[in-house]
Amino acid sequence: MTKNATGRIDHEAELRKAGIRITRPRRIILRIVSETDDHPDAYEIFRRAVQEDKNISLSTVYRTMKLLEEHGTIQRHAFAGGPSRFEHAGEEHHDHLIDVETGDVIEFRSDKIEKLQDEIARELGYDILHHKLELYGRKRRSA
């Protein structure tokens, strides 16, 4: 996959390679997706996009996100109780902690968890091909 100057997937280049026309609204959406470090849903991407171009529709955002997902440049996450959220594909494996009160998604990686998962799979006679771990919680209140 083509990478941009920041080392992330160049979504626009990938869609162009696939023969997909890049319109002005789509270019704005692709830039927003490329620059995001959070896990926005389609409406949040739409909210950011209309700040630049009032003519961008929510359906254009949905169609563009579907194209990116189909071409493997983003991943869709359906965290429980909320809308689908998106993140860049091809990044190093990580897991997610979702704050049930704020909706914030915190990425983390734990070698202990990875080792334990491998150990469990091995004991059961399996090799792990793929997995995802989602933890749901709320911030501890100080006593």
Side-chain angles (χ1 to χ4, degrees), residues 1-18 26-27 29-37 64-65 67-76 86-92 94:
M1 285 198 190
T2 309
K3 303 275 182 159
N4 61 22
T6 63
R8 290 210 168 134
I9 295 169
D10 185 332
H11 301 291
E12 185 174 333
E14 290 301 310
L15 292 182
R16 281 186 192 284
K17 277 197 292 191
R26 203 170 265 164
R27 182 172 289 113
I29 294 164
L30 296 173
R31 186 186 46 69
I32 289 167
V33 170
S34 291
E35 293 174 355
T36 189
D37 283 324
T64 302
M65 299 313 290
L67 281 171
L68 292 174
E69 184 180 12
E70 288 170 352
H71 287 86
T73 65
I74 61 155
Q75 288 182 319
R76 175 189 303 264
F86 304 96
E87 74 175 334
H88 304 280
E91 294 183 344
E92 185 177 336
H94 58 270

Side-chain angles (χ1 to χ4, degrees), residues 44-57:
E44 177 58 24
I45 294 165
F46 168 72
R47 191 188 65 71
R48 295 173 191 177
V50 295
Q51 290 177 351
E52 291 184 44
D53 183 343
K54 301 273 188 245
N55 296 316
I56 294 176
S57 70

Side-chain angles (χ1 to χ4, degrees), residues 62-114:
Y62 279 115
R63 284 192 305 271
T64 302
M65 299 313 290
K66 184 171 175 51
L67 281 171
L68 292 174
E69 184 180 12
E70 288 170 352
H71 287 86
T73 65
I74 61 155
Q75 288 182 319
R76 175 189 303 264
H77 293 283
F79 299 126
S84 293
R85 301 188 52 181
F86 304 96
E87 74 175 334
H88 304 280
E91 294 183 344
E92 185 177 336
H93 170 75
H94 58 270
D95 297 306
H96 297 98
L97 170 65
I98 298 93
D99 184 313
V100 297
E101 292 179 350
T102 66
D104 290 345
V105 178
I106 299 116
E107 295 179 354
F108 69 93
R109 176 153 173 66
S110 168
D111 289 335
K112 287 187 222 178
I113 291 173
E114 298 303 314

